[in-house]
Amino acid sequence: MKKTFICLLLTVVLTPLLWAQTASVHVTVANTSSSACFFVRTEQTFMRDFLKKGYTELALNNHKTATYTIQITKPEFITFYCDSSSTREGKSLHYSFFISPGDDLDFKADFARKDFGITVTGKGNNNNQPLRRSFFSAEFEQFNKDTLPNRMITAINDTAKRIGNIFKTYVEQYRPSAAFIKYMQYNIDYYATQTFYNLKENNKFAIRDAYYRNIAKWQHVTDSLFSRTKLDNADALPVPNYRSLTRYFLLRKKEALWRESTTDSVAFFKDWYNANVTEGRKAFMDDRSNLLQEKIINKYFTGDVAEYLYAILFDDAFAEANPANIVAIFNRFKQKYPNSIYISWFSPSVENVIKKSNNSLSNEMVFAKDNGTQLNTLEDIQELAKGKTVLLDMWGTWCGPCREEMENNSEALKEHFKNKGLDYFYIANYDLKNETTWKKLIAYFKLTGTHVLANEKLSDDIMEKTKGRGYPTYIIIKKDGSYELSKAGYPMDRGVLIKQLEDALAIKN
């Protein structure tokens, strides 16, 4: 019986490997000073690509050649890049491949030619000819800040029609595989929906007032497009346009629900939390991202698509160092998808969250009197810092970039300045209703130093006087009471900040 079980287990584990085949792309790029090229596997990269599993950098040898080889069991879309920043011509080459098991392609390009002079030969070349590049070559920047959708959707529909005609020509000329025809048709089918939805959702931030005045017109076009393309479509999951649409839907639906939580609170909390406003708002404010995204996934998606979007959720949460509910969500995910490859991919990060969630507040985490809620001005903070050299971190529990910077830099900075006389102030902004989460994250990130839960007056005063432009903002307060903004930028150039802090520490009393 034991031997039978082991045999069955080995069969489950090894069967995918037995069916996997090699697929290769041999690249030659002429007349460029690039020293490297890059391949991205669409199915292994997510919104933030926290795991970096689908991204491969290959060195170009003296002959400007490289070979990319993978083991696959089914066709995949793969993108090739040759980075323009290292080419004297200032060009950038992107090329999309449709790779099937057993393919062995030779790709050649010449940076000295306007069209790169691309040729593709070898097994699978019928799916990868340069005519494919014209399928999706269209620019729509001229419609940014349009307050109505008319011009944008007309141009997108015209482009979609042109793409469809080129695709017919391609099929007639190159006789691609049935798999190529199927998935490329899906990619074309989702082109207009994905393109309009992404443009519209980005554009609304530039035309906020006009967008909401005309929201019915924008929504009418959106609804029309979604009625033509199925949102929950596992068969289209390998397709780049479909994956992009679902990723952005998850993000933008979350943002729309944030707005709904204030504009239509009663309906929002009843529909999404099965609670009244008071009870629902507490759960919502404790976690406005991870849990809400899980609710969106479960409402709109099923099967393989839902599984993929859970991976998007995890990718975003870990990239932004957001531990809220992530362990519980991951456990529910494992129950739903016990054989998912994403379990092994994300388990180490979940274990790290569990470990850090066990951190507790210590005596080295000092809370200002009344949590600092009575402090109103930058001068009040300077008085607290009197005679000290202080790195002041303006952050918020709700701020993904703030948490991300803490995760990536806090420990390293404190190790570098250990026993060197640097103090740390952390001012949490717009978090007066989030005291519990505030203290949890202080322990989670081991934020030793002085902590202030800012009222709005303090936040506004500090940002106005220091000319801070967003969160996180880092301010260096010197022993003499003067201050300066960090020059380290975002993402932080830690070396630049270290130099500024060392210069501040060198100032004598």
Side-chain angles (χ1 to χ4, degrees):
M1 182 68 180
K2 185 176 181 181
K3 289 182 178 179
T4 302
F5 174 77
I6 292 173
C7 289
L8 288 171
L9 180 61
L10 288 173
T11 299
V12 170
V13 172
L14 295 176
T15 295
L17 299 176
L18 293 174
W19 285 103
Q21 295 184 51
T22 296
S24 297
V25 182
H26 310 283
V27 173
T28 302
V29 286
N31 293 307
T32 177
S33 57
S34 293
S35 60
C37 61
F38 308 85
F39 284 87
V40 178
R41 294 179 70 173
T42 300
E43 293 192 13
Q44 293 192 5
T45 54
F46 305 115
M47 183 75 81
R48 299 287 299 275
D49 198 22
F50 172 76
L51 295 174
K52 302 290 189 260
K53 281 186 173 289
Y55 185 85
T56 301
E57 178 177 354
L58 295 177
L60 292 168
N61 63 23
N62 292 336
H63 300 290
K64 300 301 179 185
T65 66
T67 295
Y68 177 71
T69 300
I70 54 175
Q71 294 287 325
I72 55 176
T73 59
K74 55 185 175 54
E76 289 188 23
F77 287 89
I78 294 172
T79 303
F80 165 78
Y81 296 89
C82 200
D83 190 357
S84 61
S85 65
S86 59
T87 64
R88 60 176 176 266
E89 302 83 7
K91 288 185 177 181
S92 179
L93 173 58
H94 297 176
Y95 199 85
S96 175
F97 291 99
F98 183 78
I99 305 295
S100 299
D103 279 359
D104 191 24
L105 295 167
D106 286 294
F107 173 87
K108 294 182 180 180
D110 187 345
F111 274 76
R113 295 180 58 173
K114 185 177 180 180
D115 62 354
F116 295 102
I118 294 170
T119 62
V120 184
T121 57
K123 186 178 181 183
N125 76 83
N126 57 325
N127 295 331
N128 293 285
Q129 291 303 310
L131 182 59
R132 279 188 52 197
R133 298 188 78 207
S134 59
F135 286 0
F136 305 104
S137 56
E139 301 293 337
F140 299 102
E141 284 84 357
Q142 67 267 37
F143 306 121
N144 289 346
K145 299 187 179 181
D146 274 16
T147 58
L148 292 171
N150 307 49
R151 292 200 313 151
M152 184 184 294
I153 188 57
T154 297
I156 291 171
N157 282 334
D158 288 345
T159 302
K161 184 177 180 180
R162 177 182 62 80
I163 291 168
N165 291 332
I166 295 171
F167 177 62
K168 291 178 183 177
T169 300
Y170 187 98
V171 172
E172 292 171 359
Q173 185 172 347
Y174 295 107
R175 304 296 179 185
S177 67
F180 173 90
I181 294 172
K182 172 184 176 180
Y183 290 119
M184 192 55 68
Q185 186 62 61
Y186 269 136
N187 214 34
I188 294 170
D189 290 345
Y190 281 94
Y191 172 79
T193 306
Q194 182 267 343
T195 303
F196 178 81
Y197 186 71
N198 288 358
L199 287 171
K200 182 261 291 190
E201 290 294 315
N202 287 324
N203 192 40
K204 73 182 181 185
F205 296 109
I207 59 162
R208 186 179 298 272
D209 292 340
Y211 176 82
Y212 287 108
R213 280 200 312 271
N214 299 299
I215 191 168
K217 294 178 181 178
W218 288 96
Q219 193 60 45
H220 174 74
V221 177
T222 304
D223 292 343
S224 175
L225 289 167
F226 274 98
S227 70
R228 289 157 35 189
T229 49
K230 189 178 175 183
L231 182 60
D232 184 19
N233 187 355
D235 204 34
L237 192 55
V239 170
N241 278 339
Y242 178 70
R243 284 184 177 246
S244 177
L245 176 64
T246 58
R247 288 197 307 266
Y248 276 95
F249 180 86
L250 183 60
L251 170 65
R252 300 312 189 185
K253 185 64 179 179
K254 178 181 69 173
E255 293 172 350
L257 291 175
W258 288 346
R259 178 178 174 82
E260 189 178 320
S261 72
T262 58
T263 59
D264 194 1
S265 300
V266 173
F268 170 77
F269 290 112
K270 180 181 179 182
D271 292 346
W272 290 91
Y273 290 84
N274 193 29
N276 60 37
V277 173
T278 301
E279 295 171 347
R281 191 173 297 282
K282 183 181 184 307
F284 173 67
M285 293 305 296
D286 284 345
D287 177 10
R288 302 199 322 155
S289 185
N290 296 339
L291 187 59
L292 188 56
Q293 286 185 95
E294 185 185 29
K295 290 177 181 291
I296 294 168
I297 292 169
N298 289 334
K299 181 169 183 175
Y300 290 99
F301 301 96
T302 59
D304 291 348
V305 183
E307 179 187 6
Y308 167 69
L309 290 175
Y310 266 102
I312 298 296
L313 186 164
F314 299 138
D315 172 68
D316 183 61
F318 295 129
E320 289 197 343
N322 182 7
N325 287 308
I326 207 66
V327 176
I329 293 171
F330 191 70
N331 286 336
R332 290 192 287 270
F333 172 75
K334 289 193 295 184
Q335 289 180 343
K336 289 181 179 180
Y337 302 99
N339 299 314
S340 175
I341 191 173
Y342 301 135
I343 294 174
S344 62
W345 286 14
F346 288 105
S347 283
S349 298
V350 174
E351 291 300 320
N352 187 47
V353 168
I354 293 171
K355 179 181 177 181
K356 294 176 72 171
S357 296
N358 289 327
N359 294 341
S360 57
L361 295 172
S362 72
N363 293 333
E364 295 178 281
M365 300 165 190
V366 179
F367 295 89
K369 182 181 178 183
D370 298 321
N371 285 339
T373 55
Q374 304 307 307
L375 301 172
N376 295 314
T377 66
L378 175 60
E379 288 74 23
D380 291 339
I381 299 300
Q382 288 172 296
E383 184 63 27
L384 281 180
K386 191 172 183 178
K388 301 175 182 178
T389 302
V390 171
L391 174 60
L392 189 159
D393 184 345
M394 296 287 284
W395 74 295
T397 65
W398 44 268
C399 169
C402 301
R403 297 189 306 266
E404 191 173 344
E405 292 289 81
M406 287 174 174
E407 178 87 350
N408 294 336
N409 296 295
S410 180
E411 186 176 341
L413 284 170
K414 288 183 176 175
E415 182 61 29
H416 182 89
F417 288 103
K418 187 176 182 179
N419 300 323
K420 293 183 180 180
L422 181 64
D423 285 271
Y424 303 88
F425 281 18
Y426 297 91
I427 298 183
N429 300 273
Y430 305 103
D431 265 325
L432 287 175
K433 295 181 179 180
N434 301 327
E435 183 178 347
T436 300
T437 301
W438 175 55
K439 290 185 176 179
K440 282 181 180 179
L441 288 182
I442 289 169
Y444 182 86
F445 290 114
K446 292 186 177 179
L447 300 181
T448 56
T450 299
H451 293 274
V452 171
L453 191 60
N455 62 42
E456 196 166 331
K457 285 183 180 179
L458 179 61
S459 298
D460 291 346
D461 191 70
I462 292 176
M463 296 300 275
E464 180 180 347
K465 288 175 179 174
T466 63
K467 296 182 170 54
R469 293 188 175 182
Y471 301 95
T473 285
Y474 297 98
I475 302 161
I476 299 163
I477 302 178
K478 303 172 186 178
K479 295 185 185 76
D480 61 4
S482 63
Y483 57 84
E484 64 180 11
L485 283 175
S486 162
K487 300 174 183 176
Y490 175 80
M492 179 194 293
D493 185 334
R494 195 188 305 153
V496 171
L497 181 57
I498 286 173
K499 177 65 167 58
Q500 273 187 276
L501 290 168
E502 287 175 340
D503 289 346
L505 286 166
I507 296 174
K508 304 298 182 182
N509 289 331

